[in-house]
Amino acid sequence: MNDSHVLVMEKGSGEAYFREALALLPISILMLDERGRILMVNPQTARLFGYECDQLIGKPVGLLVPALRADTDVPLRADLFALPESHERTPLRELSARRNNGTEFQVEISLNAFRFDDGSVTLAIIVDRTERYELERNRRDLAHLTRVSTVGQLTASLAHELNQPLTAILSNVQAAQRFLTADPIDLDEVREILNDIVQADYRASEVIRRIRAVVKKGDLEVVSLDLAGIIRDVVLLVRGDAIVRGTRVTLDVEDDLPPVRGDKVQLQQVMLNLLLNAFDAMNDMPPADRVVSVTLMRESSNTICIAIRDRGHGLTVDKLDKIFKPFFTSKPQGLGLGLSISRTIIDMHHGRLWAENNIDRGATFFVTLPVGNATEQDESR
Ligand code: ADP
């Protein structure tokens, strides 16, 4: 037992002061007995859960936080509250709580054990996390929405890309039907046709896989990533759009780059935004000049840099920073969210996203990301 984590106090003496102090604190606090029953609540807790203080005394804590449901016939065990064996204070845990009216909300709870001469009590500190969860959910929904809307812009070219293998499949099947009416049937020819059908089918499902990978909705998944692979996938996703707009995309990837840690879908979203913005910036340029160069290189021993360089109209000095603000757009159909969301994503990955004008023409958007190990913070997000 690590005594530095256990507060020992003499029962009786300071108890009244202690209760008064707890009642005054601007945070929600509960005191539980060994069986998980509520010995004391401060008014803040009662208000948070929609009860009067008296209504809660003697009730099991599971009434408020179902995950802390204790079997009231047996003494409260440390593992009941998932307390690590050697400590009697848990760090903050995120759990679902229930109000008197049955509605649920998210709270963070820390449990602290107090030992008296003849027993122990647990002090639970509860922090309402409703707002933070709402904010986080809104941010995720918004990111997803802009991703879907960005991919929506590619619909025409993606439909075209899908149409090609589907047309190939149809004409191959028609050819096979013709071969099957011949006598004798040329099996080699039929085998080859079937092979072509399989290849065309793979091509179609690859297009669908790339769309699904980008519009996927989900929580942040921090894993070790091959950035080059992510960028290649996005370049393939926009290939059809690039052809329709008469734009060339070049990709230059330094060999043997180390992995980065991050969320694949989110990094794809950033790349997609930057590439489509670069295409847009060159709409008015002569076709021969419409080139986007994507470079992936090591910037230092612990950072990788992605540069997306266009030959468009560039950015006026006042725009270099403004473009990262939400709802700033110069496009008639623009949402003005792509760059601000991209910057949030890169910040969350402990990287940097900024823009610079090229010396000759157009702008370059730079993204730097740390190599390898992400902090634990990332993993818990
Ligand atoms: P949207 O594309 O919906 O306008 P973004 O946040 O992605 O939203 O971009 C904001 C603005 O930044 C664009 O409207 C455009 O004016 C400017 N911008 C973005 N990328 C470039 C670029 N490569 N060259 C010039 N201007 C750009």
Side-chain angles (χ1 to χ4, degrees), residues 100-343:
N100 195 7
N101 63 10
T103 54
E104 299 215 337
F105 65 113
Q106 292 294 322
V107 291
E108 270 181 2
I109 297 195
S110 98
L111 300 167
N112 305 267
F114 283 69
R115 219 170 48 213
F116 294 101
D117 291 343
D118 56 350
S120 69
V121 294
T122 299
L123 203 62
I125 298 171
I126 300 183
V127 182
D128 181 4
R129 280 300 180 205
T130 315
E131 263 184 25
R132 204 193 71 179
Y133 275 84
E134 284 287 302
L135 264 178
E136 171 63 17
R137 216 188 33 235
N138 287 346
R139 197 196 59 72
R140 265 207 313 263
D141 285 352
L142 191 60
H144 181 244
L145 208 71
T146 50
R147 227 164 33 236
V148 173
S149 109
T150 315
V151 173
Q153 295 168 35
L154 302 176
T155 314
S157 58
L158 288 171
H160 178 70
E161 272 200 66
L162 266 180
N163 224 11
Q164 280 177 341
L166 290 178
T167 311
I169 290 172
L170 181 64
S171 53
N172 272 311
V173 169
Q174 285 166 338
Q177 282 169 331
R178 270 199 311 278
F179 276 112
L180 290 177
T181 56
D183 192 16
I185 297 171
D186 185 342
L187 279 181
D188 281 344
E189 204 60 67
V190 174
R191 219 170 273 127
E192 206 171 299
I193 287 175
L194 289 178
N195 210 20
D196 285 350
I197 292 175
V198 170
Q199 295 310 320
D201 194 274
Y202 279 147
R203 275 210 308 283
S205 48
E206 181 56 20
V207 174
I208 292 170
R209 182 192 68 76
R210 293 199 301 263
I211 301 172
R212 288 178 59 154
V214 174
V215 297
K216 193 174 125 189
K217 192 170 186 180
D219 293 334
L220 191 82
E221 249 179 71
V222 179
V223 292
S224 199
L225 294 173
D226 162 32
L227 255 189
I230 289 180
I231 292 174
R232 276 195 194 100
D233 252 11
V234 178
V235 169
L236 282 174
L237 189 69
V238 299
R239 188 182 54 186
D241 197 51
I243 293 170
V244 172
R245 295 172 181 232
T247 304
R248 223 157 29 92
V249 182
T250 67
L251 182 59
D252 184 8
V253 179
E254 193 178 304
D255 289 337
D256 299 326
L257 285 174
V260 298
R261 283 180 68 84
D263 181 278
K264 186 173 172 180
V265 179
Q266 296 206 344
L267 293 179
Q268 277 178 331
Q269 174 168 10
V270 173
M271 284 307 299
L272 192 58
N273 281 334
L274 297 179
L275 277 172
L276 293 182
N277 276 345
F279 291 0
D280 287 343
M282 295 188 301
N283 270 345
D284 302 331
M285 302 295 152
D289 287 351
R290 292 184 205 150
V291 183
V292 182
S293 325
V294 183
T295 315
L296 184 58
M297 67 209 148
R298 223 179 159 122
E299 192 198 44
S300 68
S301 58
N302 48 16
T303 39
I304 291 192
C305 178
I306 310 161
I308 293 119
R309 180 190 175 90
D310 63 58
R311 297 200 203 161
H313 49 71
L315 293 151
T316 49
V317 178
D318 65 313
K319 268 197 192 165
L320 279 170
D321 232 19
K322 232 192 255 172
I323 52 172
F324 293 98
K325 302 239 185 305
F327 305 113
F328 177 86
T329 181
S330 59
K331 303 173 194 170
Q333 313 292 336
L335 280 176
L337 287 174
L339 287 178
S340 75
I341 288 181
S342 297
R343 189 172 257 182

Side-chain angles (χ1 to χ4, degrees), residues 19-31:
R19 279 172 185 267
E20 246 174 72
L22 292 189
L24 288 174
L25 283 175
I27 48 175
S28 303
I29 292 185
L30 290 163
M31 197 189 280

